[in-house]
Amino acid sequence: MAETKDWGMLAEFDTPKDIYHACEAIRDEGFKHWDAHTPFPVHGLEGAMGLRPSKVPWIALAGMIFGATVGFTLQWWSMAVEYPGIIAGKPFFSWPAFVPVTFELGVLFASFGTVFGMLAINKLPTFHHPLFNSERFKGHSDDKFYVSIESRDPLFDKKKTKKMLKQLGATHIEVVAEEA
Amino acid sequence: MSAHVKAIDLSDAQVPAGSIWKKLPLVFAVLGIAGLALAFVTAGEDHKQFWYSYLTSFMFWLSLGLGSLFFVIIHHATRAGWSTVVRRIAENYMITLPVIGLLALPIVFGGMDDLYHVWVHPGETDLFVQAKTGFLNTDFFTIRVIGYIAIWTLFAGFFYVSSVKQDTSGDPRLAHRMRRIAPVALILFALTITFAAIDFMMSLDPHWYSTIFGVVYFGGSAMMTYAILALTSMGLQKGGILKNAITTEHYHDFGKMAFGFMVFWSYTAFSQFMLIWYANIPEETIWYYYRSTGGWEVIAALLFILHFVVPFFFLMSRHIKRRNLTLAVGAIILLVAHYLDMLWLIQPTMHQHGEPHFAMHIADILAFVGIGGVVLAVFSWRLGAAAAAPMKDPRLAESLEFENF
């Protein structure tokens, strides 16, 4: 690697219990740019981290409203405005016939909103992340639990943060670098 | 984390002796008998009005018994965890089925001429109905209704007795037996609720038929049951019963299930409507014609709004379902919608050979109070007779600790 700078700090913990309490403490300190990495879902960790409820439901709702509106207006415009034609002796604007397509497009765009909204919020796809520069970080998919704190966090201070993590029971602490 | 394993106090699961709950059966029974008697009196010479009012309320309250039976069967068939603590409340509603079954007998032995005149005495030129008299005749109808009552009583009795027995013995084999019986019960439940809806409601107009009719009634029944279970749980907790055992998580699930079956009802009811509207065959559309003229179009619009649009957007958010007050508002909207549904399905037939017009009679309200009184009298009597939760069910602990994500 050529030029490098500090991306942040990585602390390793041995048990779910340790990381749970560490997260509670970091949350209470007021850190903003940090994350926890565990090999399996630790029940209640989102509460210990103080995460706000996901925004995905709102994106799904917006997708649903968008899809349903598009489905309905498209049919209304084509069937009643631009290409009116008599079908089965029914009025041009026959709303009951429009419901299935409206419903299906609503469902389709709600699903799009859910999947792509989730990907966007998670910043996926990301091809590389500075954390993978750390050799030890491989343990996050095996038997170790990690907390990473980014250096861009206003509360971040190399010495103080390291001390805090040590007090919280971290078994190993290292500074993670990224390409400048 | 399992850091918050707390012992939940279940000492308030027994209705205390001498409390207001113990007096409720008597109050409801008096209300029930008075309501039915007054409905009969106020309908006066017009027996037709009485029987239509009676049938509307009967189908509404039958929904509660059948929906609760469904709740219990599904609980066992799927080995559900979350619903264990509230299962006894559903069981107490389920055990009203034998009594509400008895309330069907007056229809069979007194109301047939007024309600089902078209097929009890088919017209000489009415070839459509004459061809159906192999199924739609008084004798076979009577046998079928007695069959429904027998099957509902059998399963309601079996699940109720086994569950209460477990309260003292704690025998896990009882749970296993209920789980083994549940799939059989589910099949017979589906058949009986479909045929009952067809016999009691669809045969009011025997020229018309819809194969999805029973499913629509089932959707509404399940929806109204979850709404009532939520309201009942709130009432019990206000009265000091199961104060810590029923949590926001259980209310959230009631809300989810009521929401789901509300959408299911809308889906099936609209499917029925759209196919008939699209095909545009006179003997099919006439059924909707009676229900969209003479004031009934207002009820139809209210059904669309209160049975779908308002609850769909209102109950969608988890925050609404997790707050008792807002969930109660949603549940009440769904109950009103279910009653309107019964009214709209049953009563337009009353005047169909004159001008169809919407009019509510005082007997409608009195019959509603009457049959409701009888049902709630049985419910509150059973509530006081056993613990308010299945105390020794093997999955009770799972239910108490259950959390939604």
Side-chain angles (χ1 to χ4, degrees), chain B residues 224-235:
Chain B
M224 79 84 90
T225 301
Y226 285 106
I228 290 225
L229 287 176
L231 290 174
T232 309
S233 306
M234 287 176 207

Side-chain angles (χ1 to χ4, degrees), chain A residues 4-104:
Chain A
T4 61
K5 65 170 189 176
D6 291 346
W7 174 82
M9 200 168 273
L10 183 68
E12 187 179 297
F13 295 86
D14 278 341
T15 67
K17 203 173 168 183
D18 288 341
I19 196 173
Y20 186 89
H21 294 305
C23 284
E24 283 179 323
I26 297 168
R27 170 195 69 193
D28 294 340
E29 285 287 322
F31 282 92
K32 291 276 173 290
H33 299 284
W34 64 288
D35 208 349
H37 316 271
T38 62
F40 52 81
V42 177
H43 189 60
L45 195 65
E46 67 276 8
M49 290 176 68
L51 294 181
R52 282 192 302 275
S54 166
K55 290 185 195 72
V56 171
W58 292 103
I59 303 173
L61 178 68
M64 187 272 278
I65 292 171
F66 173 77
T69 314
V70 165
F72 198 83
T73 21
L74 177 69
Q75 291 174 92
W76 159 78
W77 176 78
S78 55
M79 303 299 288
V81 180
E82 201 58 28
Y83 303 100
I86 295 170
I87 297 166
K90 295 201 161 39
F92 296 137
F93 179 70
S94 289
W95 66 266
F98 299 169
V99 170
V101 172
T102 307
F103 170 77
E104 295 297 345

Side-chain angles (χ1 to χ4, degrees), chain B residues 21 57 88 136 146 171 179 217 363 377 382:
Chain B
W21 297 99
S57 300
R88 182 58 51 77
L136 289 178
I146 290 171
D171 188 352
R179 192 195 311 152
Y217 179 68
R382 293 324 299 171

Side-chain angles (χ1 to χ4, degrees), chain A residues 121-132:
Chain A
I121 287 176
N122 285 324
K123 298 195 182 109
L124 290 171
T126 298
F127 298 112
H128 183 73
H129 193 276
L131 274 174
F132 294 122

Side-chain angles (χ1 to χ4, degrees), chain B residues 31-78:
Chain B
L31 264 181
I33 292 163
L36 283 176
L38 281 173
F40 191 74
V41 172
T42 50
E45 289 298 293
D46 191 2
H47 288 308
K48 211 170 174 182
Q49 177 64 55
F50 172 74
W51 287 115
Y52 271 93
S53 305
Y54 187 90
L55 183 66
T56 310
S57 300
F58 172 77
M59 291 313 288
F60 180 88
W61 289 105
L62 177 65
S63 288
L64 179 57
L66 288 177
S68 302
L69 178 61
F70 173 72
F71 180 96
V72 174
I73 296 175
I74 282 293
H75 173 93
H76 291 299
T78 61

Side-chain angles (χ1 to χ4, degrees), chain B residues 354-373:
Chain B
E355 275 293 293
H357 64 274
F358 170 71
M360 268 193 88
H361 195 278
I362 181 81
D364 286 329
I365 295 155
L366 290 168
F368 183 83
V369 174
I371 296 181

